[in-house]
Amino acid sequence: MQEKEAKQLSGEMIQVVSFSLGDEEYGVDIAQVQEINRMVQITHVPRAPHFMEGVINLRGQLIPIIDLRARFGMARAEHTKNTRIVVTEIGSKRVGMVVDAVSEVLRIPVEQVEDAPEMISGIETEYIRGVGKLGDRLIIMLDLQRVISASEKRELESVDAAVPEATAVS
Amino acid sequence: MSEEFFDREEFVQYFKDETDELLQTVDASLLRLESFVDADRIDPEIVNELFRAMHTIKGSAGMLGFNEVQELAHRLESIFDLLRKDRMPLSQQSIDLLFEGRDILTALIRALTGEAIVPEGVEGYMERLESFSSLYETAAAIVGEQSESKSGPFEERLDASAEEIAAFEAEVARLLAGPDGDRTAASAVGEPLPQAPALEHHGDAARPAAQPRQEQRRNLSQTIRVDIERLDALLSLVGELVINRTRISDIAATLSRSLSEYKDSAVNSVIEPLAKVLADSAGLLARTTNEIQEGIMKVRMVPIGQVFERFPRMVRDLSKARKKEVRLEIHGADTDLDKTVVDEIGEPLMHLIRNCVDHGIEEPAERLALGKAETGTIRLNAYHEGNQIIIEVGDDGRGIDLARVRKKGIRQGLIAESDKLSDREIMELIFQPGFSTADKVTDISGRGVGMDVVKKNIARLKGTFDIGSVEGAGTTFTIKLPLTLAIIQALLVRVGGELYSIPLDSVIESQRVEMSDVRTVHGNEVITLRGAVVPLLRIGEFFGLGTARDPEKVMIVIVNMQGRQVGIVVDSFQGEQEIVIKPLSDVIGRITGISGATILGNGSISLIIDVHSLVSEAYALGRVARAEYAAV
């Protein structure tokens, strides 16, 4: 039914993989999603940024895992049987994101995607590409590049912060 | 041969790869051959090797229809054949002619793949070569005739042929000079061709006969070439194999456990033997998978000697051009490192060696005046340290003249007159783009490209680059590169529920120590080990893993860092294992104390402890006191 509505407006659609974090629904461009996995053993990496859950072994490759809840400053949740790791590939980088549950692949008409409002439930808007409307559902479309690169930036900041401390002690 | 049936481009590439290797061998052998110039006897194995290499190139080129390459290889082969049969004396001129030929051959082959333009003067060179070898063929024939006709003593024969030899000599000098060969012309006039040794050889009846060709060629086909991407593809497939292997092992274990619970069942008698077979097969599968995995990893490792091979020739040519006496010493050529790193390191090393020849080593007269040996030495050294490979390029030349570097830096606007710089900072100027101390530009260096390129290339390989220099005594460049995909021996330890790997080469020993033997210095825990005070580092606490302290004992891995010992406290030791270093994703960033990770046989991940950064940071943060001083 939703698809029918969309086609009436325009032929152009974007395909997104939608998943949930708490009560909110998020979406990422399907072209950036490599695979969706059940929860596996995550190896903790000490002294990594707090939202860095650790690394997993994906068929012989080490994939860093971001806890998306921690990334967005939400309370961490216990992993359940619905918890999934969404493995994304942006450029040459592969990153896994822990999400509460993956719902489905959606087709959203381009006209139905609006720019991000100023503030959405405490998440810094820089990660948000827009908000897609589908019936009465709101899908927060993520800019994965930002999600990942900002994590690098923050990491660098924390390293910089650590330097004066180290020199002060010695 | 019809071109429709094979991919010509692929064959050309294959031909080029094969000949590249052979040309390296030719270079190395020519250099060795050069040491036999004017000697009484030539090591026949060297000439044989050259002959075989040229013969192979000729054969392959002929097969693919590269007529010019084939022709040149053929003529060079003839020269080696003459040398092999002692029909030609080995002079400096002939060596120079052969080196020239080798270079033209290289250029011709490069031109095939469009990497270079077809060199000029190939025909002229071939003519000179042809006349040169035909001359000796005739010479040999005449000498042969005379030794047959005359039965007198050796001296008489020598006299008889001296006249003809003198005539050839003149002819040879003329031919060597060639239409555009100023360099060879000059040297040809200066050094007469030695004739006596050749004749002596000729008279030597006991000389062993040349080996059959088939046998000589066999050694050349012991290796095959594989695209590295194919290896990587295999490697990730093996990764999947490992996971499935673990699964099958688990199923086998579960099955035998379940069976033991239904001991009386009739089904049991059927399934139990099957379960046994399954368990055996799973075990075999596990072993084989491990071996495949290790095998593929090792295939990726190549000795750095592959890169070093080209340098003796380069140093020879450079030192000749600069009229310097330079000897190149190579150590650690068999040090293994990853293929991708080997491919990238050649150019930076080339720049460094050029720099040593051009700026480092003094001219012979200057060296003698300084009381140094006339011949300068460049040392090229490679070895493993921790999970790094260290490559040193050092010379015993004049060292870096800091005052001069500073002056040039000011003149080139890199620093201001008023800048107060430490020696170290002045040395850093060398890495600035465009910096050069050379007063005039030579074809070797002085154009201000080089050191900044070196630094950039090494940074790209995630390595570090350092200069040590003592004025008047020499300069040493040190390159440290991580072995991004290397296999190392590691000690596996358990800390806070996770397995960590400590590279074994930084481990001195591991032991259990009673808490009663642990004392404190300035609030830091230490133990005494054979009289030395060793500070302890509780890695679980350092990493914030929330590990509880054992009130009775500590399990300690003693590691060495730049001569200092530190005891890393872990929960338990889990044995030694060969591991493959994989870098942590750059999404995570650099983490102090962790250099990478490895995937263990059962598919689980173990982080690799970077002893160096861990211990330095622990010192810096005051987690480990400089107890060795405090305790004295």
Side-chain angles (χ1 to χ4, degrees):
Chain A
M1 187 204 73
Q2 288 160 349
E3 271 189 35
K4 214 164 136 196
E5 266 179 31
K7 272 186 187 134
Q8 283 164 356
L9 290 160
S10 146
E12 231 189 304
M13 305 280 249
I14 50 169
Q15 274 195 302
V16 298
V17 174
S18 76
F19 56 85
S20 62
L21 283 182
D23 300 333
E24 290 166 349
E25 223 176 340
Y26 290 81
V28 290
D29 186 343
I30 197 165
Q32 293 181 318
V33 176
Q34 199 203 352
E35 59 185 272
I36 296 159
N37 289 349
R38 288 178 184 281
M39 206 58 204
V40 293
Q41 175 71 39
I42 297 180
T43 304
H44 174 68
V45 178
R47 310 183 113 216
H50 74 283
F51 51 83
M52 223 17 116
E53 188 84 3
V55 284
I56 61 163
N57 169 9
L58 187 68
R59 293 185 297 278
Q61 256 204 314
L62 290 177
I63 312 280
I65 302 296
I66 290 173
D67 184 327
L68 217 51
R69 277 176 163 268
R71 183 78 192 87
F72 294 157
M74 302 164 124
R76 278 179 193 258
E78 286 285 308
H79 297 160
T80 68
K81 66 176 172 46
N82 289 326
T83 307
R84 292 288 182 275
I85 295 174
V86 179
V87 179
T88 60
E89 190 164 11
I90 301 128
S92 59
K93 287 173 190 158
R94 278 200 200 172
V95 178
M97 303 185 300
V98 179
V99 301
D100 290 357
V102 170
S103 348
E104 60 196 315
V105 177
L106 297 172
R107 292 160 71 85
I108 305 175
V110 173
E111 297 89 340
Q112 295 296 309
V113 180
E114 288 176 13
D115 287 348
E118 280 300 292
M119 185 66 84
I120 297 179
S121 64
I123 302 170
E124 295 162 59
T125 47
E126 57 174 299
Y127 314 129
I128 298 172
R129 227 170 54 182
V131 177
K133 287 184 292 182
L134 213 53
D136 58 352
R137 292 160 76 184
L138 287 182
I139 321 280
I140 304 164
M141 315 277 286
L142 290 177
D143 183 339
L144 284 181
Q145 188 67 55
R146 288 263 173 97
V147 171
I148 291 166
S149 59
S151 66
E152 285 172 338
K153 202 175 104 198
R154 197 172 282 196
E155 159 66 14
L156 284 174
E157 280 163 4
S158 67
V159 168
D160 286 345
V163 172
E165 188 197 341
T167 43
V169 176
S170 66
Chain B
M1 195 184 285
S2 168
E3 287 186 22
E4 286 164 43
F5 295 108
F6 67 95
D7 180 351
R8 187 177 165 85
E9 214 166 276
E10 197 176 302
F11 271 79
V12 172
Q13 188 57 43
Y14 183 83
F15 171 72
K16 204 192 139 269
D17 287 348
E18 189 194 50
T19 46
D20 268 357
E21 217 160 79
L22 285 169
L23 288 168
Q24 287 285 1
T25 316
V26 168
D27 233 4
S29 302
L30 280 177
L31 278 173
R32 282 201 291 149
L33 192 63
E34 193 173 22
S35 63
F36 287 97
V37 164
D38 301 344
D40 287 349
R41 284 196 73 89
I42 305 171
D43 182 349
E45 199 31 58
I46 301 175
V47 188
N48 279 333
E49 202 175 344
L50 285 164
F51 179 82
R52 285 196 295 262
M54 222 30 90
H55 188 79
T56 308
I57 294 174
K58 180 176 91 172
S60 314
M63 212 166 67
L64 291 163
F66 302 141
N67 298 332
E68 220 172 9
V69 174
Q70 185 192 9
E71 184 65 32
L72 180 53
H74 171 70
R75 303 225 170 139
L76 289 168
E77 183 191 351
S78 314
I79 304 262
F80 293 129
D81 196 36
L82 286 172
L83 283 170
R84 199 162 71 130
K85 293 177 177 152
D86 283 339
R87 292 211 190 137
M88 181 192 281
L90 182 67
S91 61
Q92 190 59 48
Q93 293 98 305
S94 46
I95 281 282
D96 286 340
L97 191 70
L98 289 169
F99 269 124
E100 196 185 343
R102 185 261 178 205
D103 289 346
I104 293 177
L105 194 58
T106 308
L108 276 177
I109 292 168
R110 291 244 166 95
L112 291 176
T113 52
E115 278 174 60
I117 51 160
V118 178
E120 284 175 29
V122 178
E123 268 180 34
Y125 175 78
M126 282 212 219
E127 272 166 29
R128 274 189 287 145
L129 202 60
E130 177 67 24
S131 322
F132 185 70
S133 57
S134 67
L135 200 65
Y136 280 102
E137 271 153 15
T138 332
I142 295 169
V143 175
E145 256 171 49
Q146 289 185 345
S147 52
E148 268 166 39
S149 59
K150 283 202 173 191
S151 51
F154 173 74
E155 283 80 5
E156 274 178 50
R157 278 186 283 140
L158 185 67
D159 286 343
S161 54
E163 203 176 308
E164 282 100 339
I165 295 281
F168 300 139
E169 214 176 89
E171 180 68 3
V172 166
R174 192 186 64 76
L175 286 164
L176 276 168
D180 53 349
D182 295 345
R183 184 174 58 89
T184 38
S187 54
V189 172
E191 300 164 44
L193 286 176
Q195 64 231 34
L199 286 169
E200 256 170 50
H201 284 187
H202 190 73
D204 187 357
R207 195 169 53 88
Q211 288 172 309
R213 274 185 190 183
Q214 281 91 332
E215 203 179 310
Q216 292 166 6
R217 292 194 60 184
R218 201 182 48 205
N219 287 346
L220 292 171
S221 54
Q222 294 292 317
T223 53
I224 57 156
R225 237 160 258 294
V226 181
D227 190 333
I228 195 131
E229 277 175 24
R230 292 194 193 173
L231 280 184
D232 286 346
L234 273 181
L235 202 58
S236 55
L237 280 177
V238 171
E240 290 191 49
L241 197 58
V242 168
I243 293 167
N244 277 304
R245 177 208 70 189
T246 316
R247 241 177 239 162
I248 291 173
S249 301
D250 286 350
I251 292 170
T254 317
L255 190 61
S256 65
R257 254 202 321 277
S258 321
L259 277 174
S260 62
E261 285 167 24
Y262 298 101
K263 268 218 154 37
D264 300 324
S265 159
V267 186
N268 205 6
S269 60
V270 183
I271 296 177
E272 195 163 16
L274 286 176
K276 263 216 171 83
V277 176
L278 178 64
D280 287 349
S281 302
L284 189 66
L285 181 66
R287 269 202 307 281
T288 320
T289 312
N290 280 348
E291 277 168 27
I292 294 175
Q293 193 178 19
E294 283 173 20
I296 294 176
M297 305 293 184
K298 279 186 180 146
V299 168
R300 282 188 59 112
M301 303 289 281
V302 293
I304 195 167
Q306 284 192 0
V307 180
F308 289 177
E309 264 174 11
R310 69 178 95 151
F311 296 133
R313 169 72 197 279
M314 196 186 89
V315 168
R316 170 195 182 269
D317 289 357
L318 284 180
S319 50
K320 276 200 150 191
R322 300 291 286 169
K323 300 197 171 50
K324 289 177 180 178
E325 298 283 327
V326 185
R327 189 167 49 113
L328 180 66
E329 264 179 32
I330 292 179
H331 302 275
D334 55 356
T335 309
D336 278 345
L337 79 167
D338 194 72
K339 169 76 179 150
T340 46
V341 181
V342 164
D343 291 346
E344 295 285 327
I345 200 66
E347 202 192 322
L349 287 179
M350 186 194 74
H351 280 295
L352 292 179
I353 293 173
R354 279 173 167 239
N355 205 286
C356 288
V357 177
D358 210 34
H359 300 300
I361 307 284
E362 309 90 338
E363 315 224 320
E366 191 183 339
R367 288 185 67 90
L368 284 175
L370 289 167
K372 289 182 175 182
E374 191 175 2
T375 303
T377 305
I378 295 176
R379 285 183 72 248
L380 195 54
N381 189 17
Y383 55 95
H384 283 139
E385 190 182 284
N387 48 23
Q388 287 183 312
I389 181 169
I390 317 277
I391 306 169
E392 292 167 349
V393 182
D395 66 49
D396 62 349
R398 56 172 71 97
I400 294 171
D401 183 345
L402 291 174
R404 189 148 159 261
V405 170
R406 194 190 145 89
K407 224 184 278 168
K408 286 271 174 176
I410 294 167
R411 196 183 310 161
Q412 291 173 21
L414 297 169
I415 49 168
E417 187 92 51
S418 55
D419 282 351
K420 283 203 171 65
L421 297 174
S422 66
D423 289 359
R424 172 117 236 120
E425 285 167 323
I426 294 173
M427 261 188 230
E428 290 282 322
L429 285 179
I430 295 171
F431 300 126
Q432 293 288 328
F435 182 86
S436 174
T437 53
D439 292 317
K440 55 177 192 282
V441 172
T442 68
D443 63 338
I444 297 167
S445 48
R447 281 164 300 190
V449 287
M451 298 310 263
D452 63 314
V453 174
V454 172
K455 198 172 184 185
K456 246 183 248 162
N457 282 348
I458 290 167
R460 205 174 53 216
L461 294 170
K462 295 193 166 44
T464 61
F465 183 41
D466 205 16
I467 311 183
S469 176
V470 178
E471 224 172 304
T475 308
T476 301
F477 303 102
T478 308
I479 297 170
K480 289 187 186 184
L481 294 169
L483 303 173
T484 48
L485 202 120
I487 302 175
I488 56 163
Q489 277 295 125
L491 176 67
L492 262 58
V493 295
R494 193 169 283 284
V495 185
E498 306 260 14
L499 276 178
Y500 286 85
S501 304
I502 304 177
L504 208 59
D505 41 15
S506 42
V507 173
I508 297 170
E509 62 189 282
S510 52
Q511 54 174 255
R512 177 199 154 114
V513 174
E514 299 305 318
M515 267 316 277
S516 54
D517 292 332
V518 175
R519 296 185 299 164
T520 58
V521 173
H522 292 321
N524 292 283
E525 290 178 304
V526 298
I527 58 163
T528 33
L529 185 72
R530 290 184 288 273
V533 176
V534 178
L536 298 189
L537 172 63
R538 287 187 181 264
I539 193 171
E541 292 171 18
F542 184 80
F543 280 158
L545 300 177
T547 45
R549 289 189 179 200
D550 186 326
E552 281 168 21
K553 60 171 199 304
V554 279
M555 307 299 275
I556 297 173
V557 181
I558 312 278
V559 294
N560 179 49
M561 190 200 93
Q562 291 171 348
R564 279 207 298 244
Q565 295 185 357
V566 173
I568 295 179
V569 180
V570 301
D571 293 352
S572 62
F573 311 130
Q574 301 287 321
E576 291 170 18
Q577 200 175 318
E578 212 169 46
I579 58 163
V580 180
I581 302 173
K582 294 195 172 206
L584 278 181
S585 162
D586 50 4
V587 174
I588 296 182
R590 273 181 95 94
I591 292 174
T592 308
I594 309 255
S595 61
T598 188
I599 294 176
L600 300 175
N602 63 2
S604 69
I605 298 170
S606 166
L607 297 176
I608 302 166
I609 289 177
D610 176 2
V611 171
H612 189 275
S613 75
L614 178 76
V615 175
S616 342
E617 169 110 345
Y619 269 114
L621 293 175
R623 296 282 182 99
V624 175
R626 295 181 197 276
E628 60 268 54
Y629 306 118
V632 173

